[in-house]
Amino acid sequence: PTHKMANQAAKKRKQQNEQSLKNLQLAIAVGNGVYFLYRILYHWSSFTFSYMLGFVFTSLLYWFCYSSIAGMAVCSYSKEGELIDGGSDLSMSGLVEYYFDIIYVSIFVQISTAFISDKFWYLYLLVLGFAVYKIYTSFIQPYLNVKKANEQQSGNAGQQGQLDAKQQKKKDKAEKAEARAKARMR
């Protein structure tokens, strides 16, 4: 019974992932199609080399993000051809979520630059800034904090040694003073 329930969950996940990928393909086709039809066909005279680079850039972003998402959605099958795993959950947060966001930003940028203003290309700077922020807070800052904590611990150990030496001197002085007081009493 549990195998059958697990298989049902895998089938459901597979269907959800297939639907998500179809929706994503449609969204990418609309973004690329609108940009291509309006900017390239209708406004060919204004389609300069920089616009061509932008179109290639967004197309590469689409390809990379979509391929990564599709790779996460790959199902696993047994030797008998029975579905074992329906792929990763594409609605989970983390890297998958960022890939979806980059695709949506790219669609917005393509449509906005086609109809409104070329300044919408600058939105990619926000994506880049967010990526730098996430890399810093997720990888660099924790590394620096660990390094700093280790330095503080070794520094504290050195200070503890100094305090122990001071305390030892005080103790030695107190013992000498006590010994002198005893000697005087004799």
Side-chain angles (χ1 to χ4, degrees):
T2 57
H3 174 68
K4 188 149 183 104
M5 287 174 55
N7 201 349
Q8 290 294 72
K11 285 179 182 177
K12 185 177 178 183
R13 168 90 37 84
K14 180 183 177 209
Q15 290 172 344
Q16 290 171 338
N17 287 350
E18 286 173 347
Q19 187 61 45
S20 293
L21 291 173
K22 283 179 188 176
N23 291 344
L24 209 51
Q25 287 173 346
L26 179 63
I28 291 170
V30 167
N32 254 343
V34 166
Y35 188 83
F36 184 83
L37 290 173
Y38 187 78
R39 179 57 91 175
I40 297 173
L41 295 181
Y42 187 67
H43 287 287
W44 174 252
S45 60
S46 69
F47 189 67
T48 63
F49 182 72
S50 59
Y51 291 113
M52 190 179 305
L53 284 178
F55 183 70
V56 168
F57 174 72
T58 53
S59 296
L60 287 174
L61 269 178
Y62 286 143
W63 171 80
F64 175 77
C65 292
Y66 181 83
S67 297
S68 299
I69 292 169
M72 292 176 195
V74 171
C75 300
S76 301
Y77 295 92
S78 69
K79 290 181 182 179
E80 295 81 30
E82 188 176 321
L83 181 65
I84 297 171
D85 179 34
S88 296
D89 182 4
L90 297 183
S91 64
M92 66 182 175
S93 62
L95 199 55
V96 176
E97 184 179 40
Y98 297 140
Y99 288 146
F100 274 102
D101 290 346
I102 290 171
I103 289 173
Y104 298 143
V105 167
S106 295
I107 292 167
F108 179 77
V109 166
Q110 274 191 321
I111 292 173
S112 300
T113 56
F115 291 112
I116 301 172
S117 170
D118 297 337
K119 294 192 185 337
F120 282 97
W121 287 111
Y122 291 118
L123 282 177
Y124 282 123
L125 293 176
L126 291 175
V127 172
L128 180 62
F130 182 74
V132 168
Y133 167 77
K134 288 304 279 185
I135 288 169
Y136 179 77
T137 58
S138 299
F139 299 107
I140 297 171
Q141 189 178 28
Y143 171 76
L144 294 175
N145 288 345
V146 167
K147 190 175 178 181
K148 189 175 181 179
N150 289 341
E151 288 173 359
Q152 285 178 348
Q153 282 181 342
S154 63
N156 287 344
Q159 288 175 352
Q160 187 66 32
Q162 290 173 353
L163 289 177
D164 288 344
K166 286 181 182 179
Q167 289 174 347
Q168 187 64 38
K169 280 184 179 180
K170 285 182 181 180
K171 186 177 176 183
D172 290 345
K173 281 184 180 180
E175 286 175 0
K176 284 181 185 179
E178 192 177 314
R180 277 187 249 145
K182 284 184 182 178
R184 284 185 199 154
M185 293 176 99
R186 287 188 207 165

